[in-house]
Amino acid sequence: KAINNKQATLSGGSVMLVRPLLFSSAAIAGRSLPLTAAMSMSSTTSGDQQCGGKSAVVFLHGLGDSPAGWSSLEHQLPSLKPSLGEDVHYVFPPAPTIGITINGGYEMPGWFDLFDWPIGISAKDDKTGKNKAAQQIEEAVEKLEKDMGIPPNRVVVGGFSQGGAVALLTAYHRRKEGKVPFAGCVCLSGWLTMKDDLEITDEVIKSTPLFWGHGQADDKVLYEQQPHGVQILRELGVDVSDAAYPMGHSSHPKEIEAMAEFLERVLKKDS
C-alpha cells in the first residue's frame, strides 16, 4: 500500500510523518479484497461442515489500520474452506489510539510503540505496550468462553504486522502454567518480540502450532524477522509452518490459502 509522507511540526521542530506506517492488508498482492463493515465480534453462517465444534479466530490488524482492514477474512476463509464458516466465530479487535515514537509522536491506531525503522531483529521492545495489548486479546478470549462457550483450546489468535507480533506474544510468552493453550497461532508479516525472556511451557509447545507467512521483499518488517523467529520457536519445540511470498509488506492469495488450510487443520482437532 502506498505511503503518503507529510510534514508536520511537533514540539517546535519539523518531523516527517508516515501515515499509516504498517498499513492494512486490504490490498492483497495487487488486488483488492471486499471489505465488510468494521466489527468487534461476528460469526459466519455459511459452510456445509464443522471444524470439530464451535471455535473462533481472533485476528489483529496492523498499525494505522482498523478492524475493517481484515474483516473480509470472515467471508474469504469460508470461501476457501467451507469448514471455516458455520460454528467458527471471527473477532477483529480494535487497537487503541496511541502516540508512535518513530512518527514523531503522531497518534494512530497501534498495539504498541515503535522505536526503530525499519523493524529488524534488533528492534527495541515496548514491553509495557505489548503486554497491555496481549492482555486486551486475553480478555477478548475470556469473553468468548463466557458469552459463547468457546474455550481457549478452540481459539486461534493471529494478526498482521504489529498484530502478528501481539498474536505471538499472546500465544507463546504469556500462556504460562495453568493457562489453557490456544488451538493455534497465525503471524502474517509480523515478528517475535521480547525474545530475551521467552519461555514457553511444554503444554503450549505441544498444543499450539504456528503458521507464519512473510514477504521476501518486506522493507518495513524485514524479511530477516521470519527465519530468525521461526528458528527460535522451532528450537524450543514449537510446530511451525512457515512460507515466504514474492511481495513486500502486504499479503498474497497463496498466503491466505495456506492460512485457511492451517486453520482447518488445527480447528478440526478434538476439543
Side-chain angles (χ1 to χ4, degrees):
K1 201 167 181 178
I3 305 174
N4 294 319
N5 292 335
K6 297 186 177 181
Q7 290 286 347
T9 300
L10 296 177
S11 302
S14 180
V15 299
M16 183 68 73
L17 298 184
V18 183
R19 63 177 92 172
L21 284 170
L22 295 191
F23 326 112
S24 76
S25 81
I28 291 190
R31 65 185 179 89
S32 296
L33 293 177
L35 297 180
T36 60
M39 60 195 75
S40 60
M41 183 175 293
S42 56
S43 63
T44 60
T45 56
S46 61
D48 54 13
Q49 54 180 308
Q50 298 180 358
C51 265
K54 288 196 298 184
S55 54
V57 175
V58 180
F59 199 89
L60 286 64
H61 62 78
L63 180 67
D65 200 7
S66 72
W70 283 90
S71 62
S72 58
L73 287 178
E74 181 184 11
H75 305 287
Q76 190 180 24
L77 291 171
S79 75
L80 295 168
K81 296 290 182 180
S83 64
L84 299 177
E86 188 174 359
D87 284 337
V88 178
H89 296 267
Y90 291 85
V91 183
F92 302 96
T97 298
I98 60 173
I100 303 297
T101 296
I102 60 168
N103 235 13
Y106 179 82
E107 292 190 349
M108 59 172 58
W111 295 106
F112 52 83
D113 200 1
L114 293 172
F115 308 103
D116 302 280
W117 190 258
I119 302 169
I121 58 177
S122 61
K124 180 182 176 182
D125 284 319
D126 170 18
K127 292 186 177 182
T128 299
K130 288 171 181 174
N131 279 315
K132 186 175 180 180
Q135 183 177 353
Q136 179 181 337
I137 305 313
E138 290 166 349
E139 291 171 355
V141 172
E142 291 170 3
K143 183 174 176 62
L144 279 169
E145 185 165 26
K146 179 181 178 181
D147 295 351
M148 298 185 176
I150 302 174
N153 65 350
R154 302 294 303 149
V155 176
V156 175
V157 293
F160 173 77
S161 194
Q162 262 203 344
V166 175
L168 290 172
L169 177 66
T170 308
Y172 298 109
H173 296 65
R174 291 174 57 95
R175 300 312 281 181
K176 302 302 184 184
E177 297 290 348
K179 288 190 175 183
V180 178
F182 295 119
C185 181
V186 172
C187 176
L188 305 184
S189 301
W191 69 102
L192 185 64
T193 66
M194 295 166 60
K195 295 167 287 191
D196 293 341
D197 51 5
L198 173 59
E199 295 181 1
I200 308 176
T201 68
D202 290 341
E203 190 175 6
V204 168
I205 288 171
K206 291 185 294 184
S207 304
T208 309
L210 168 67
F211 171 71
W212 189 330
H214 214 106
Q216 295 167 318
D218 196 330
D219 60 349
K220 296 167 181 64
V221 180
L222 300 182
Y223 174 61
E224 67 181 20
Q225 290 278 15
Q226 187 194 40
H228 178 70
V230 166
Q231 180 180 355
I232 291 173
L233 292 169
R234 279 189 176 143
E235 288 178 351
L236 290 171
V238 177
D239 176 9
V240 182
S241 301
D242 60 308
Y245 301 90
M247 63 182 185
H249 195 65
S250 183
S251 191
H252 192 281
K254 292 294 184 183
E255 182 181 47
I256 301 303
E257 291 173 11
M259 175 182 171
E261 291 174 1
F262 172 82
L263 291 174
E264 182 177 60
R265 173 168 63 87
V266 300
L267 292 177
K268 275 188 173 179
K269 294 185 299 184
D270 292 336
S271 58

